[in-house]
Amino acid sequence: MSRKTILITGASRGIGRAAAIQAGGRGWSVAVNYVGNRDAAQDVVEAVKAAGGEAIAIQGDVAVEADVLGMFEEAARLGPLDGVVVNAGIVAPPQPLVDMSVERLRRMFDVNVLGAYLCAREAARRLVRSRGGKGGSIVLISSVAASLGSPGEYVDYAGSKGAVDTLTKGLAKELGAEGVRVNAVRPGLIDTDIHASGLQPDRAWRLGVNAPLGRPGTADEVAEAILWLLSDASSYASGTLLDVSGGR
Ligand code: NAP
């Protein structure tokens, strides 16, 4: 399997971290983006190297255009990109829509929607053949929440992931002739820090036991799907929404 150079947003923890380390195991070079947790990002860099790859950590908020531009410029230190994982995302504490502030809604859509669009745009600018790129793979991390709606918990988050699904479909059609495949992975309940950040640290296990497979998933199980979509093994998959949700 060919060696690749990839950028993963939000790779300091959780699903992004697992994907970075699996990529390291294939000997790939990985730009590890994070927003605030420099020590965690540095740990991932060391783990990628220990697994056999190359890595650098890059700070940047995906909701800030200048940060996204800087992140892609710095990633070029590793070489021309073959793939980008648009993974960084946030949740918020459970609330019905009637109680949500405009500040909460704005931050949710800034990070999960604007951030995804900006990162996908920069990925496309570098990968498309008409601008000198070599083609490649863009993998967006959505959620099965896009279909379930997350009532009473976070309909804002679910809607933000609906936008990611739609971006995946449209961009796949826009970039197919440019040699760029665009797909999304839609995780279900995965045991990562994200639930504690939404003030529900036990959420993955509390709800995960009700999934058809009877448990939450692991970050590594989602990373397997991401790596497949980045790799040449998925060469005819584009515009796909791949649920990794234990049957939910
Ligand atoms: P996580 O454990 O909370 O990790 C989030 C990662 O994103 C961290 O590396 C964090 O960096 C980074 N990040 C957060 N805001 C950022 C920003 N504005 N700019 C750049 N990086 C930012 O999350 P996760 O569970 O791995 O989730 C990853 C993706 O999967 C998200 O898009 C999430 O919506 C999606 N997803 C997760 C689940 C689940 O159950 N876990 C289910 C469905 C979908 P720092 O370490 O610097 O804070």
Side-chain angles (χ1 to χ4, degrees), residues 35 42 47 49 55 105 127 144 148 170 197 222 224:
V35 65
Q42 206 46 53
K49 289 180 178 169
L105 290 168
L127 295 176
V144 290
L148 299 174
S197 73
V222 181
E224 291 283 353

Side-chain angles (χ1 to χ4, degrees), residues 62 86 88 107-119 156-157 159-164 167:
V62 295
V86 180
R107 185 64 187 160
M108 185 68 69
F109 295 129
D110 272 358
V111 175
N112 290 6
V113 182
L114 181 65
Y117 273 76
L118 288 174
C119 292
D156 53 346
Y157 172 81
S160 74
K161 295 302 187 178
V164 171
L167 170 60

Side-chain angles (χ1 to χ4, degrees), residues 9-16 33-38 40 60-63 71 86-91 107 111-112 141-144 157 161 186-195 197 203:
T9 67
S12 45
R13 292 182 290 121
I15 292 166
N33 160 249
Y34 68 101
V35 65
N37 207 330
R38 182 211 292 254
D61 183 340
V62 295
M71 183 193 308
V86 180
N87 166 73
I90 57 168
V91 296
R107 185 64 187 160
V111 175
N112 290 6
I141 310 306
S142 174
S143 169
V144 290
Y157 172 81
K161 295 302 187 178
R186 306 201 318 167
L189 291 154
I190 309 302
D191 193 10
T192 71
D193 294 349
I194 203 169
H195 307 292
S197 73
R203 181 173 179 272

Side-chain angles (χ1 to χ4, degrees), residues 10-201:
S12 45
R13 292 182 290 121
I15 292 166
R17 173 182 190 276
I21 295 170
Q22 285 188 20
R26 296 180 181 212
W28 295 6
S29 299
V30 188
V32 173
N33 160 249
Y34 68 101
V35 65
N37 207 330
R38 182 211 292 254
D39 288 348
Q42 206 46 53
D43 280 354
V44 175
V45 166
E46 297 312 322
V48 171
K49 289 180 178 169
E54 264 308 314
I56 55 172
I58 306 175
Q59 195 280 332
D61 183 340
V62 295
V64 176
E65 185 183 28
D67 284 17
V68 174
L69 297 178
M71 183 193 308
F72 275 83
E73 256 168 51
E74 245 187 277
R77 280 170 41 208
L78 291 171
L81 286 172
D82 299 285
V84 175
V85 184
V86 180
N87 166 73
I90 57 168
V91 296
Q95 268 186 341
L97 179 63
V98 289
D99 292 332
M100 287 181 194
S101 66
V102 70
E103 290 77 20
R104 169 190 168 129
L105 290 168
R106 201 164 267 141
R107 185 64 187 160
M108 185 68 69
F109 295 129
D110 272 358
V111 175
N112 290 6
V113 182
L114 181 65
Y117 273 76
L118 288 174
C119 292
R121 184 191 73 185
E122 291 312 305
R125 285 178 172 171
R126 282 155 184 82
L127 295 176
V128 295
R129 292 190 180 130
S130 58
R131 286 168 167 254
K134 48 183 174 173
S137 170
I138 299 173
V139 181
L140 296 111
I141 310 306
S142 174
S143 169
V144 290
S147 297
L148 299 174
S150 306
E153 243 191 338
Y154 26 64
V155 294
D156 53 346
Y157 172 81
S160 74
K161 295 302 187 178
V164 171
D165 286 0
T166 305
L167 170 60
T168 303
K169 290 285 180 190
L171 197 59
K173 290 173 182 161
E174 214 168 277
L175 300 185
E178 292 273 8
V180 179
R181 297 183 296 109
V182 184
N183 295 285
V185 173
R186 306 201 318 167
L189 291 154
I190 309 302
D191 193 10
T192 71
D193 294 349
I194 203 169
H195 307 292
S197 73
L199 304 183
Q200 303 189 79

Side-chain angles (χ1 to χ4, degrees), residues 208-228:
V209 292
N210 298 321
L213 289 187
R215 63 171 176 85
T218 66
D220 262 320
E221 289 174 308
V222 181
E224 291 283 353
I226 296 170
L227 267 285
W228 179 69

